Amino acid sequence: MSTVSTEYIQDYYSYPDQRGHFGKFGGLFVAETLMGPLQELREAYEKYAQDADFLREYDADLKHFVGRPSPVYFAERLTSKIGGAQIWLKREDLNHTGAHKVNNTVGQALLAKRMGKTRIIAETGAGQHGVASATVAARMGLECVVYMGAEDIKRQTANVYRMKLLGATVVPVTSGSKTLKDALNEAMRDWVTNIDDTFYIIGTVAGPHPYPAMVRDFQSIIGREARSQMLEAAGKLPNALVACVGGGSNAIGLFHEFLNDRDIELYGVEGGGDGIESGRHAAPLSAGVPGVLHGNRTYLMTDKDGQIIETHCISAGLDYPGVGPEHAWLKETGRAIYTSITDKEALVAFHELTRMEGIIPALESSHAIAYATRLARDKSPDEIILVNLSGRGDKDIHTVAELEGITV
Amino acid sequence: MSRLKTLFDALRQKKIKALIPFITAGDPQPDFTVTLMHAMVTAGASIIELGVPFSDPMADGPVIQAADERALLHHVSLLDVIEMVKQFRRDDVQTPVVLMGYLNPIEILGYQRFAELASAAGIDGVLIVDMPPEEAEEFTALMTQNSINTIFLISPTTSAKRIEKICQFASGYLYYVSLKGVTGANTLDVDSVARKLTEIRSITDLPVGVGFGIKDGETAQAVSRVADAVVVGSALVKKMAKYQNDQDLMNQKVSGILREMRSMMDAVSEN
């Protein structure tokens, strides 16, 4: 179980500190060449986060380009089948490009333009963040280069083609395990070489300060909308929030608005792969240790020598050996509970939601659905569980079909 | 007095510059490293930078990444690297050895334990690529207590204010990264390096080494005119990769590059 800090957190919104620390997590662990550009980014972000014009443009893009607000939806048939608490969904799957990722890329691309950068780079695992980055680059007329592990390129051909249609260059990464973490390494190497004209859009709440705070802020629209929508639709706030956690951006996006509402339970669901006990999973908060990777101190999947371990998870979006530092800190302080769901359980939930509600969820989000149904059984029907349905499952139908021996 | 200070004082008196080869420990095979370290000293190396292999070397180009991968095939760990230095010290108590790498292996081992083991093995300095001074307070204090120097990077994008901050934590020498980018990158502009070194020297008396983009006798000579030390990594590691199946030939090739650099650097100081 998690170690709960004895220190009482008065205000969860007073974090991170000036240097990006959430307690002992977060920070700025990068090579010297990146310190200047990160300071430039921090200053620009602090300025524009208060700038009325910038915020107006961001809100307008969220409304007219992304299609926000995304609705909350009562999953009535699923709820009655489970027979416990009500299961509600925050429909991030209905966003343009099919997931929550675009909330962040719109914000960072607007910032890139304000900073006079003409080229954006991004890393991607499943391709969702790559597509969301390529999309805003096309919309704003910026050059876009996406780094993607050679293994992931093979698994996600449709998204690779989508990015190319949008005008992006997709660079296969063949170093290390050829997956998301290596794509991130390669994007960092590009950035350090091209810092004068390039803006690096990190897709999750990890990386060096200010990325974890900045991406969180751009994603926290999810929770802000959810609060007023739940009050309007259900007449009260949810009792529990559930979201899947890879790097953790959709989870923080939902949780952040509710951090100081201490009676609302927060559950983050990691990719359990073949099961925690098998060692083949992607669950650093459930089974990892604190360490330093990709610019911040956080929970990691690392061996006894400090080398990063290869992760295993059916969904590429959860297949990452680290996690955002704010999640590490929410675990440490006991504010959120982190758990995991296996590939098999996620697949069951994938089918269940599809058949019961007519919504095909992303495999990532299926992990959250699976945990929510388990949680609902132990709660009473007047309680509400709000699940972040972070993305749609169109991108995953080939994976699911293949597992079932079907050629699509 | 630390080995690094003794060395730089002696070189200053002789008016010659330090030559610092970098190799990844355990590349291409764990039992090649100590022999190669001795060979490099014979060929004119003043200090040896020993890379600690890491699975995610974010600041390194393809050449050093491949070296890390070769070493990791043999599961070379931080403890193994410390052991190699211990072995090296049996026959060489003079040449300073600096470990260079990323923070996570040290985090997992524990700062205190690392400090004690490194000190006992005769390691003189540590350069952690992804630990800027902002995050280095506790670590630097522990290293200092154990008589290990902490070397920090300065880059073309580092402001004068930051150089001051870095110098509060740095000891042994400073490592100036001569260009934006990763290790093994291409061109080096000696004039802009000279300008930056003038700025650095107006702030500190620490010796300044220059690395990135040094690949042969000529570039080493050019840099040695302005720097206190010349660091060469990817050029050596490339040779090691090419001759990885023949240990003797590999040692000869690496030594050959260092000998050429040494003689061209010394030709400058004799002028």
Side-chain angles (χ1 to χ4, degrees):
Chain A
M1 285 310 291
S2 66
T3 0
V4 178
S5 161
T6 48
E7 179 200 0
Y8 182 76
I9 308 296
Q10 290 291 341
D11 177 11
Y12 280 91
Y13 297 128
S14 57
Y15 293 79
D17 68 14
Q18 271 298 308
R19 277 157 46 195
H21 294 117
F22 299 89
K24 70 175 182 186
F25 300 105
L28 255 174
F29 294 90
V30 294
E32 180 57 30
T33 313
L34 286 179
M35 291 302 286
L38 282 166
Q39 188 181 338
E40 186 195 351
L41 174 63
R42 200 161 60 242
E43 284 164 4
Y45 178 62
E46 278 165 10
K47 178 179 162 197
Y48 289 111
Q50 313 290 332
D51 181 278
D53 271 348
F54 178 84
L55 295 172
R56 208 174 302 124
E57 202 177 338
Y58 176 60
D59 288 344
D61 267 5
L62 288 185
K63 184 175 174 190
H64 300 288
F65 187 63
V66 176
R68 301 202 73 89
S70 70
V72 291
Y73 168 82
F74 177 36
E76 207 172 347
R77 292 189 68 223
L78 181 66
T79 297
S80 55
K81 187 186 170 200
I82 304 296
Q86 302 166 36
I87 296 174
W88 291 64
L89 309 175
K90 176 64 174 161
R91 298 290 308 275
E92 291 299 299
D93 60 315
L94 294 177
N95 291 339
H96 179 40
T97 71
H100 71 291
K101 291 290 184 191
V102 71
N103 301 329
N104 168 50
T105 57
V106 162
Q108 288 199 49
L110 284 173
L111 190 58
K113 270 208 121 164
R114 291 284 202 288
M115 292 173 72
K117 308 288 182 186
T118 55
R119 177 174 179 267
I120 62 174
I121 56 171
E123 84 293 339
T124 197
Q128 287 306 104
H129 175 58
V131 167
S133 297
T135 299
V136 296
R139 154 115 170 74
M140 295 182 197
L142 299 165
E143 183 191 347
C144 179
V145 176
V146 179
Y147 289 92
M148 189 167 182
E151 279 301 313
D152 290 335
I153 285 182
K154 271 191 258 166
R155 292 194 278 192
Q156 300 286 344
T157 48
N159 270 344
V160 173
Y161 185 56
R162 215 166 270 146
M163 288 183 267
K164 288 181 179 166
L165 282 175
L166 289 158
T169 306
V170 181
V171 181
V173 177
T174 54
S175 57
S177 60
K178 306 179 179 62
T179 58
L180 176 57
K181 78 173 175 72
D182 310 284
L184 216 150
N185 293 337
E186 210 52 45
M188 284 274 187
R189 291 178 188 124
D190 178 314
W191 197 34
V192 83
T193 310
N194 301 295
I195 44 186
D196 294 331
D197 67 345
T198 298
F199 188 104
Y200 179 17
I201 301 189
I202 293 186
T204 191
V205 286
H209 184 58
Y211 283 101
M214 178 171 69
V215 176
R216 173 198 72 195
D217 292 350
F218 286 136
Q219 290 293 359
S220 61
I221 181 74
I222 301 172
R224 282 201 304 279
E225 284 176 3
R227 178 186 290 272
S228 60
Q229 289 169 323
M230 289 308 297
L231 287 173
E232 195 188 319
K236 62 174 184 174
L237 292 177
N239 301 85
L241 308 176
V242 180
C244 63
V245 177
S249 68
N250 90 80
I252 282 287
L254 178 63
F255 293 174
H256 192 247
E257 169 70 15
F258 301 96
L259 289 181
N260 279 350
D261 297 76
R262 289 166 201 244
D263 50 341
I264 297 180
E265 299 160 24
L266 310 176
Y267 295 95
V269 186
E270 298 189 292
D274 294 343
I276 298 294
E277 64 293 340
S278 72
R280 291 172 53 84
H281 57 81
L285 288 167
S286 306
V289 293
V292 171
L293 179 70
H294 292 153
N296 66 99
R297 183 179 281 119
T298 187
Y299 276 84
L300 295 177
M301 305 263 299
T302 170
D303 67 13
K304 64 170 182 21
D305 297 336
Q307 309 298 347
I308 305 306
I309 303 175
E310 227 169 288
T311 51
H312 298 272
C313 181
I314 189 172
S315 86
L318 302 185
D319 217 352
Y320 179 64
V323 63
E326 191 163 5
H327 285 295
W329 175 70
L330 292 176
K331 170 191 160 84
E332 201 93 338
T333 58
R335 177 63 189 94
I337 290 168
Y338 295 90
T339 178
S340 66
I341 282 291
T342 64
D343 289 354
K344 276 192 183 144
E345 294 168 316
L347 274 169
V348 170
F350 173 90
H351 287 295
E352 196 161 46
L353 191 74
T354 303
R355 297 298 288 267
M356 298 301 293
E357 299 291 345
I359 297 170
I360 303 178
L363 283 173
E364 288 80 4
S365 322
S366 301
H367 287 72
I369 302 288
Y371 188 72
T373 55
R374 194 194 288 173
L375 195 64
R377 285 189 194 102
D378 300 330
K379 291 190 182 288
S380 72
D382 59 347
E383 288 187 89
I384 293 175
I385 298 171
L386 178 63
V387 183
N388 198 0
L389 190 65
S390 54
R392 68 177 83 124
D394 306 39
K395 68 179 174 59
D396 295 315
I397 55 172
H398 287 95
T399 307
V400 175
E402 199 176 309
L403 282 168
E404 288 165 3
I406 299 162
T407 316
V408 182
Chain B
M1 197 159 59
S2 84
R3 273 193 203 97
L4 282 167
K5 175 131 181 50
T6 310
L7 174 91
F8 277 108
D9 286 352
L11 291 183
R12 263 181 192 172
Q13 283 220 319
K14 286 194 247 173
K15 292 190 170 140
I16 59 173
K17 303 302 177 68
L19 175 58
I20 311 181
F22 166 96
I23 59 168
T24 298
D27 168 37
Q29 287 186 45
D31 56 358
F32 282 21
T33 302
V34 176
T35 318
L36 178 59
M37 288 168 76
H38 289 305
M40 292 195 299
V41 174
T42 309
S46 328
I47 298 166
I48 291 172
E49 279 184 3
L50 207 49
V52 179
F54 184 48
S55 53
D56 295 79
M58 280 187 310
D60 286 295
V63 173
I64 309 285
Q65 285 173 47
D68 282 24
E69 285 178 16
R70 283 190 295 272
L72 288 176
L73 277 181
H74 300 281
H75 304 284
V76 174
S77 69
L78 176 56
L79 290 177
D80 295 333
V81 180
I82 293 170
E83 192 54 40
M84 289 174 193
V85 180
K86 211 185 226 174
Q87 218 182 314
F88 173 76
R89 281 277 169 258
R90 282 182 204 144
D91 302 307
D92 186 331
V93 291
Q94 230 177 351
T95 311
V97 177
V98 171
L99 295 198
M100 183 167 179
Y102 295 80
L103 184 53
N104 199 53
I106 297 178
E107 285 257 324
I108 299 301
L109 184 63
Y111 290 179
Q112 179 73 44
R113 186 146 175 248
F114 170 73
E116 286 161 11
L117 292 173
S119 175
I123 287 165
D124 302 286
V126 187
L127 195 175
I128 301 175
V129 177
D130 56 350
M131 190 169 65
E134 280 82 351
E135 302 285 357
E137 204 163 318
E138 183 196 345
F139 182 78
T140 306
L142 260 175
M143 292 301 120
T144 309
Q145 277 167 34
N146 287 275
S147 311
I148 296 172
N149 288 137
T150 42
I151 291 113
F152 284 86
L153 299 172
I154 290 178
S155 88
T157 57
T158 307
S159 64
K161 206 175 143 200
R162 278 193 63 76
I163 296 175
E164 279 172 34
K165 186 170 181 75
I166 289 167
C167 290
Q168 289 168 18
F169 292 91
S171 58
Y173 59 97
L174 292 164
Y175 185 143
Y176 179 60
V177 173
S178 64
L179 35 93
K180 298 171 193 166
V182 293
T183 52
N186 255 326
T187 44
L188 177 143
D189 174 2
V190 180
D191 289 343
S192 74
V193 171
R195 278 195 297 279
K196 193 74 181 182
L197 291 196
T198 308
E199 185 187 359
I200 296 170
R201 289 202 172 105
S202 71
I203 295 168
T204 179
D205 291 330
L206 279 173
V208 186
V210 172
F212 283 39
I214 294 160
K215 42 179 137 280
D216 49 23
E218 211 172 312
T219 39
Q221 184 183 56
V223 167
S224 74
R225 288 180 202 272
V226 294
D228 300 298
V230 173
V231 187
V232 54
S234 296
L236 304 180
V237 173
K238 243 183 232 168
K239 282 277 181 268
M240 291 169 65
K242 192 168 173 193
Y243 299 102
Q244 59 181 293
N245 297 320
D246 185 337
Q247 188 180 8
D248 290 337
L249 197 54
M250 183 191 88
N251 289 347
Q252 277 172 34
K253 293 286 177 185
V254 170
S255 301
I257 297 176
L258 292 177
R259 247 184 230 109
E260 185 199 337
M261 288 182 165
R262 183 75 269 172
S263 73
M264 288 191 69
M265 286 163 63
D266 292 350
V268 171
S269 21
E270 280 155 18
N271 288 342

